[in-house]
Amino acid sequence: MNKSKYIFVTGGVTSSLGKGIIAASLAKLLQARGYKATIQKFDPYINVDPGTLNPYEHGECYVTEDGAETDLDLGHYERFLNVPTSQANNVTTGRVYQTVINNERKGVYLGKTVQVIPHITDEIKRRMKILGESGDYDIIITEIGGTVGDIESLPYIESMRQLIWEEGESNSMVIHLTLIPYLAAAGELKTKPTQHSVKSLLELGVQPDVLVCRTEHHLNAEIKRKLALFCNVQNNAVIEARDMSTIYEVPMAMLKEKLDKVVLAKLKLKSTTEPNLEIWEKFLFKLEHPKAEISIALVGKYVELPDAYKSINEAFIHAGAHNECEVKVKYINSELLTHENVSQKLSGFQGILVAPGFGNRGIEGKLVAVKYAREHKVPFFGICLGMQCSVIEFARNVVGLTNAHSLEMDPDTTNAVIDLMEDQKKISNMGGTMRLGSYQCDLVKGSHAAKAYGKIHITERHRHRYEFNNQYKDQIQQAGMTITGTNPDTGLAEIVEVAEHPWFVGVQFHPELKSTVENPHPLFIAFINAAMKMN
Ligand code: GLN
């Protein structure tokens, strides 16, 4: 077993430079050269995990197989690498402090004063090394959230500095992602902000080895040399990262800039074989040469922020490329959707997806969208809350239970077709207590779901508190909505379908979380196929 090597990715000048995409792209290139790489993210906020955050804060909350609620960058890691991540891949300041404080209460520190240095930094280092010490990986890429210079990132930078010192020269390195702004009035690219952010890192004892420079314009040899000279990195270690039309182009752009070779040279790892990116290139070709086009209405309430539905958007990209079809996803604000305007707002779409979500806001608009899709025989895909809405709508308008609702939205309803399970009723803490992570599901042969998956035993990831109420199972099934996926251990309904409809599928789980470039999700493929038939 070889020792893992550590690559750290820090960000300078501004936030939102795309550290996650650069880390995922580098990992992809290393993986394509035969190295086992994984990525972990350290987030400097105090929340223990992003599970309790509103999507407007940090975008979607991504859920791993083992049920960790994590930063959306882990979604990129999985989509690029096609390897599952876990709780160990995402650590927050809240989680670090929680461990240290629990240790202190247990008396672990034997009467010492518990301090940021060494106790917090030691705990960060311990967590930075967990995946490395598992023996499963050659290379661990650690993304440090936030921007260098932030007060809250300081313990992470210090932990990284110590770990680099401990691991030694060719076993660790730092990639600093930075912005090279273009001043239109002067007609010039400016290197000064980068010089300053590298200085901030140096003040903390860290010399970056590679600069990845986000830029809207080409960096010529002169600018690269200037950056190398003033930031004290080798000439070939200044990497240009131009804006791309899709994030999936970034690995190819990094390959062209030889980021992988620079990294392998620094870590004294062989780069003899050329990276095998065949599947990736085929995907890109299909993505860029679609033969058909469809429009899908995504009905939800977090429509102002595209990141709120990140994984759903990416799943459409993967499955669309698979079907050689460009999928245009348009966000429809469910709060503004009514019986009066639904035809006008939803006609012209080949498919309707009702999105996951929490709380009452916008719920009636979602029900209006389900009804429209069901009655007008438009392919319908309901995910999590979207599935629950499809059950409520069916119970109200087909079964005739006019006050049917979810207990989440109406605690007083006498027809809670979506209910809270017994074990959920006792819960008082909201963080980390939903039904989370991977669960088995058995499919009914011949259903749309079984046809899509091509098998009947599947596992999918969950993130919800409420469930289909099996007391209404017979009534609902008799009226024409069938349960085509069931949890074999608990009997909970995981998939519903409307029989008299070209494609109407509601799933209690989140299929979008398992869609990757190499494995587009079967339900997204089938939904797009059904939608393409509407053309
Ligand atoms: N709010 C619903 C529940 O908790 C659905 C959650 C979701 O869509 N992720 O069950």
Side-chain angles (χ1 to χ4, degrees):
M1 189 183 85
N2 285 332
K3 243 173 89 48
S4 299
K5 309 229 177 193
Y6 292 90
I7 302 171
F8 292 93
V9 180
T10 57
V13 181
T14 70
S15 59
S16 305
L17 289 181
K19 286 194 293 284
I21 301 293
I22 292 294
S25 300
L26 172 61
K28 184 75 219 167
L29 296 179
L30 298 172
Q31 184 192 52
R33 286 181 181 276
Y35 289 104
K36 282 197 233 125
T38 191
I39 315 170
Q40 55 189 5
K41 179 158 191 201
F42 283 67
D43 276 312
Y45 51 74
I46 314 278
N47 303 65
V48 173
D49 62 41
T52 51
L53 289 172
N54 183 309
Y56 283 133
E57 293 287 312
H58 286 272
E60 152 193 289
C61 171
Y62 188 78
V63 182
T64 57
E65 284 291 290
D66 63 350
E69 298 179 277
T70 71
D71 185 79
L72 59 76
D73 272 344
L74 270 78
H76 291 307
Y77 308 162
E78 290 203 11
R79 289 187 279 272
F80 275 55
L81 296 182
N82 202 32
V83 176
T85 53
S86 69
Q87 178 68 73
N89 294 73
N90 193 194
V91 176
T92 67
T93 294
R95 196 169 286 275
V96 170
Y97 271 81
Q98 195 180 44
T99 309
V100 171
I101 291 168
N102 284 343
N103 282 344
E104 185 272 336
R105 291 287 87 182
K106 282 186 212 147
V108 170
Y109 301 114
L110 303 176
K112 289 271 180 214
T113 309
V114 181
Q115 292 177 298
V116 173
I117 314 260
H119 301 99
I120 294 296
T121 47
D122 279 353
E123 177 56 19
I124 294 173
K125 278 195 292 173
R126 185 185 74 77
R127 288 181 178 269
M128 280 176 170
K129 290 191 288 192
I130 289 177
L131 289 168
E133 284 167 354
S134 70
D136 296 336
Y137 303 100
D138 305 312
I139 297 163
I140 312 289
I141 301 179
T142 304
E143 181 190 341
I144 309 280
T147 308
V148 167
D150 293 349
I151 291 173
E152 53 189 23
S153 315
L154 286 174
Y156 292 100
I157 307 281
E158 170 60 11
S159 307
M160 169 177 95
R161 185 196 68 73
Q162 291 184 16
L163 205 135
I164 293 169
W165 183 84
E166 286 163 11
E167 294 294 311
E169 264 285 286
S170 55
N171 294 322
S172 54
M173 64 182 291
V174 178
I175 296 175
H176 189 55
L177 181 61
T178 174
L179 175 73
I180 312 294
Y182 178 76
L183 284 195
E188 270 177 59
L189 284 162
K190 291 295 181 189
T191 64
K192 195 70 57 88
T194 298
Q195 296 181 41
H196 282 296
S197 91
V198 169
K199 283 227 165 68
S200 305
L201 262 182
L202 282 168
E203 278 169 21
L204 304 171
V206 175
Q207 164 68 56
D209 302 285
V210 175
L211 298 178
V212 174
C213 306
R214 284 298 302 271
T215 168
E216 287 170 13
H217 297 270
H218 173 60
L219 300 184
N220 62 27
E222 197 191 324
I223 296 215
K224 279 190 167 179
R225 203 187 99 77
K226 190 172 168 189
L227 281 162
L229 176 67
F230 292 123
C231 299
N232 203 23
V233 302
Q234 288 179 355
N235 272 323
N236 66 354
V238 180
I239 305 289
E240 171 183 304
R242 294 279 287 275
D243 295 344
M244 295 281 137
S245 58
T246 147
I247 53 169
Y248 299 105
E249 284 283 4
V250 178
M252 307 319 279
M254 291 301 102
L255 180 70
K256 239 198 217 147
E257 283 286 300
K258 302 192 173 68
L259 174 62
D260 53 335
K261 284 200 167 162
V262 174
V263 162
L264 290 173
K266 166 73 192 161
L267 296 176
K268 295 205 166 61
L269 289 168
K270 283 198 223 72
S271 64
T272 41
T273 51
E274 277 308 299
N276 178 359
L277 289 160
E278 214 179 300
I279 301 177
W280 196 270
E281 282 170 346
K282 274 195 191 143
F283 157 78
L284 273 181
F285 183 85
K286 283 189 176 177
L287 182 65
E288 279 152 17
H289 301 86
K291 295 186 181 140
E293 189 190 300
I294 54 164
S295 296
I296 301 287
L298 189 154
V299 181
K301 68 174 173 182
Y302 307 114
V303 287
E304 285 94 349
L305 181 80
D307 272 2
Y309 302 116
K310 190 93 207 160
S311 294
I312 293 178
N313 277 317
E314 300 307 313
F316 274 123
I317 292 174
H318 309 150
H322 177 93
N323 288 350
E324 297 181 88
C325 176
E326 183 175 352
V327 183
K328 295 211 149 107
V329 180
K330 188 161 180 242
Y331 287 7
I332 305 287
N333 188 343
S334 59
E335 282 186 276
L336 306 177
L337 210 52
T338 62
H339 287 293
E340 288 69 44
N341 66 18
V342 65
S343 308
Q344 176 229 329
K345 291 213 177 204
L346 293 184
S347 63
F349 289 103
Q350 286 79 38
I352 295 171
L353 184 147
V354 175
F358 294 86
N360 203 20
R361 188 165 64 84
I363 196 79
E364 290 302 324
K366 289 186 174 181
L367 296 172
V368 166
V370 178
K371 183 164 188 276
Y372 179 88
R374 186 176 56 74
E375 291 182 344
H376 291 78
K377 308 242 184 275
V378 184
F380 169 84
F381 198 7
I383 299 183
C384 208
L385 180 61
M387 174 267 202
Q388 299 176 354
C389 286
S390 74
V391 173
I392 298 166
E393 190 279 326
F394 196 84
R396 283 188 189 178
N397 300 324
V398 183
V399 183
L401 305 170
T402 47
N403 71 340
H405 219 326
S406 161
L407 208 66
E408 177 182 9
M409 317 303 163
D410 179 3
D412 300 321
T413 179
T414 48
N415 281 306
V417 288
I418 303 296
D419 198 8
L420 206 53
M421 294 294 95
E422 275 313 307
D423 53 350
Q424 281 287 341
K425 290 186 184 152
K426 295 176 236 134
I427 283 166
S428 56
N429 270 354
M430 288 296 127
T433 54
M434 282 187 258
R435 175 145 83 103
L436 291 166
S438 184
Y439 285 87
Q440 286 188 344
C441 174
D442 289 352
L443 307 178
V444 170
K445 279 201 192 115
S447 61
H448 283 306
K451 278 189 217 146
Y453 283 95
K455 57 183 178 186
I456 56 163
H457 300 297
I458 58 157
T459 59
E460 289 286 359
R461 295 184 202 168
H462 291 248
R463 180 172 188 254
H464 55 99
R465 222 177 273 289
Y466 295 84
E467 307 279 355
F468 179 95
N469 183 345
N470 272 331
Q471 279 178 10
Y472 293 89
K473 189 172 160 182
D474 293 341
Q475 235 178 320
I476 285 180
Q477 296 219 102
Q478 271 153 22
M481 174 177 263
T482 38
I483 292 156
T484 60
T486 310
N487 181 315
D489 303 313
T490 57
L492 288 171
E494 309 284 43
I495 308 180
V496 295
E497 298 186 17
V498 170
E500 293 297 314
H501 192 283
W503 206 90
F504 187 109
V505 178
V507 294
Q508 183 60 84
F509 47 81
H510 289 269
E512 71 276 18
L513 301 177
K514 277 175 83 166
S515 177
T516 69
V517 165
E518 284 182 30
N519 282 319
H521 197 283
L523 288 175
F524 277 86
I525 294 175
F527 176 51
I528 293 171
N529 259 324
M532 285 167 79
K533 292 195 185 120
M534 299 289 285
N535 266 331

